Amino acid sequence: MLRAIIARLKQGHRTMAYPKEPVHLPERFRGYPEFTPGAERAGGDACAAACPHGAISCDGGIVLDMGRCLFCPECTAGEFVRFTTDHRLAATRREQLVVRPGGERHLAHPLEPGLRSLIGRSLKFREVSAGGCNACEADTNVLSTIGWDLGRFGIQFVASPRHADGLWVTGPVTENMREALLMTWEAIPGPKIVVACGACAIGGGPFAGSPEAHDGVDGILPVDLYIPGCPPHPAAILDGLLRLIGRIEGE
Amino acid sequence: MTVPFRTFPNGAAVPFGEVPRLEATAFLQAIIDATDRGWRVSSYFGIPTESGATLCCVLSSAADGVIGVATADAVGAFPSIARLVPQVQLFEREIAEQCGIPAEGHPWFKPVRFHRSFVPGRDAWGRAPDDPILPGVMEFYRVEGEEVHEVAVGPVHAGIIEPGHFRFQCHGEEVFHLEISLGYQHRGVERGLAGGPDPRTPFRMETIAGDTTIGHMQAYCMVMEALAGVQVPTRAEALRGIALELERLANHTGDLGAIAGDVGYLPTSSFCGRIRGDFLTMTAVLCGSRFGRGLLRPGGVLFDLGEAERDDLLARLAAARTDLENAVELLWSTPSVMSRLENTGTVSADTARDLGLVGPAARACGLDRDVRRDHPFGIYRTAPVPLVTAHHGDVCARTTVRWQEAVKSLDFIHDQLRYLPEGGCRGEAGNLQGNRVAVALTEGWRGEICHVAITDHAGRFLRYKVTDPSFHNWQGLAMALRGEQISDFPLCNKSFNLSYCGFDL
């Protein structure tokens, strides 16, 4: 026991102050994309070639769809986009993940007032990994460690869907997990919400178009929060969640 | 010893025409003989043909440091040798499922991932093309009798983990047998790789098993480099080694914490959960991604390490080492923890050898196999990492091995950062050679990873085969549960910590 207490003193208090203080991310972290000056003049062929996932397109001006983007370093070698270290990526509606040069910045909205007052201080999720590679799952788990301590915001991941207010989906929704996902959704009492965590859950990610998977949870269940990334950084996940429950608002 | 295989070193490509095409009986006999003499089956798969499949077996010999490949044609069906060579039992079921031909005489013949075969209309179990194939719907082992009961768990489990289905045949608390049914994460990885590579291929490789991004990418890069004849700069090899050991550290640290958590010892569990994040952040310092996404590409690495980042990493590494030593030391000095770890979930060395276990799970049983030593690749050719083994084969042994490996990785990264070779980070990649077979073995944190590429005349993938260490090890977990209490399952499971998606592909 004494050893444990000494160890506790040595390890110290490690919970971060976020959102009161900013979160520190490595310089090479790839967050919210920024278009380089002159990107608007890019031609359609060059845009299509810039991204193997179809995240960049040029129909009526260059756009980057964060829902399809894997935030990979290769396209920074392209001439149109560079990634900032801004971790605020989550959005409420699918189309708000599409970024345009000089376009409006969309951050996730809080839940509508009735729902927010019901679950804003005690939000419980049941997670379903539906073909996830375990990276989204791992970085969701990280939020429950002492460094992030998600519990201090009243948000928790629970074992039973009966105890949950929402469904947390990772992975492109494989055909073999579709039924289990729907049964878990059914088992959650209403009113309930759905979070699509990661590129796979939003649009299939690297597995988009695979005949064994469904290109994400959109079209299968109604989604209330989209968190882009492959996988999303825990800071991006936390930012989205805190905006959802109204703990962070505005820029 | 002469073997009827084409042998070559790890990370090499040879003309596919030089691979012996044996008569089926001689081919199977050769596998039986080789495994009798200590060779391992690293991969065994089929390339579908009109009448059946071309069977292709990739064996490895730790004693000789070589890989051997042979093929044989199977028409309509192929004979099972699982009764004689238990380590191929799952490979045979996989061949049957993918190529649509049955493994005759297989002792427990059923699907692996619950999908249709690569050949439309052909099915090893004679299911009609419009019959639905539902995951986990199959015959399970059954034990019957008074006071015998069955416990079924999953696919959705209590925590944030991947899906799988587990059936325990119990007598009271005692588990007679555990059967594991997977396939829920099946995303069609191998089928999708045929005809490649294409610009999306590296991203699928990085997400075969997200927590093993570097391990699988290292294998993919080696295959591509062998096929294209690329020389990787030494500095890039060192950076890849650093990333691979950081991946091992992050996961071993997470597992040490999770094992502590499962015996209800919260201090180590809490500390390790955070320290694991420190190692992930170090990988993000290297390349911006906590899982090493975008770091490795054929020919080298995409990010070089500057002086400032190197010093930053050295400081972070020293701090994490102090914290980790402090956190893990608590386990060994807490008798109540040790009594829960010792003699729980024991796998004998013989069982481990028969099943072909790899990685820490094998080394905990006393099997001294490690690709970094037996088939050295990349930086490990010049900077070996000492091999760690234990002998009891129980949860305690698997925990000890993880801790000691973590220490070796810390030393290795420190040395590599201090003496990083000068030079460039990426060699020029040429076109892939056609009609070749390339094999790469790497030691991921779970154990041996095997990638095999066979190219057609145009240099496209005729077949790309991935074997995650979990494919060898899931059966080990089932054996660890025999005669244990069902309440020890979470602990045993954590001490193996196997990949679902890496298995399901």
Side-chain angles (χ1 to χ4, degrees), chain A residues 76-230:
Chain A
T76 57
E79 288 154 20
F80 321 117
V81 181
R82 75 173 200 93
F83 292 105
T84 65
T85 54
D86 188 345
H87 65 280
R88 299 169 303 162
L89 305 175
T92 309
R93 290 204 309 275
R94 178 67 183 83
E95 62 272 20
Q96 290 174 341
L97 294 176
V98 178
V99 184
R100 295 180 163 75
E104 192 190 341
R105 177 78 188 262
H106 298 285
L107 296 162
H109 301 303
L111 292 164
E112 52 98 2
L115 202 52
R116 190 172 146 192
S117 72
L118 189 68
I119 60 179
R121 282 162 179 266
S122 167
L123 177 55
K124 316 285 181 202
F125 285 106
R126 172 59 252 184
E127 197 271 348
V128 174
S129 167
C133 75
N134 206 27
C136 286
E137 291 81 346
D139 264 354
T140 303
N141 260 325
V142 159
L143 293 174
S144 302
T145 63
I146 50 175
W148 299 79
D149 192 16
L150 191 64
R152 68 195 152 120
F153 304 107
I155 305 171
Q156 251 186 330
F157 288 89
V158 294
S160 167
R162 307 272 183 215
H163 302 160
D165 305 297
L167 183 63
W168 188 275
V169 186
T170 52
V173 187
T174 56
E175 174 55 22
N176 285 353
M177 266 309 281
R178 197 176 59 88
E179 190 184 351
L181 177 74
L182 292 175
M183 286 171 76
T184 308
W185 163 252
E186 287 296 327
I188 299 174
K192 51 193 168 185
I193 61 174
V194 176
V195 176
C197 177
C200 279
I202 296 173
F207 297 95
S210 165
E212 310 280 353
H214 291 274
D215 293 353
V217 70
D218 249 349
I220 296 178
L221 292 170
V223 178
D224 299 276
L225 183 69
Y226 296 89
I227 309 174
C230 184

Side-chain angles (χ1 to χ4, degrees), chain A residues 3 10-11 14 28 30 52 74 126 129 131-134 139 141 159 174 176-177 206-208 210 212 230, chain B residues 113 157-160 183-185 187 200 204 210-211 274 286-288 290-291 293 297 304 309 323 326:
Chain A
R3 281 172 195 272
K10 282 190 177 164
Q11 300 273 347
R14 302 295 190 115
R28 289 176 177 176
R30 294 178 289 279
E74 275 112 319
R126 172 59 252 184
S129 167
C133 75
N134 206 27
D139 264 354
N141 260 325
T174 56
N176 285 353
M177 266 309 281
F207 297 95
S210 165
E212 310 280 353
C230 184
Chain B
R113 305 191 178 99
H157 307 293
I160 305 180
Y184 297 92
Q185 301 279 79
R187 297 152 291 170
R200 292 172 68 193
R204 292 197 166 184
D211 51 21
R274 179 189 67 76
L286 273 180
C287 68
R290 289 154 59 83
F291 294 86
R293 302 285 160 84
R297 285 295 179 270
D304 197 3
E309 284 120 17
D323 288 349
N326 175 272

Side-chain angles (χ1 to χ4, degrees), chain B residues 100 116-124 126-129:
Chain B
R116 294 196 195 284
S117 81
F118 294 170
V119 186
R122 205 161 75 194
D123 189 273
R127 294 168 296 193

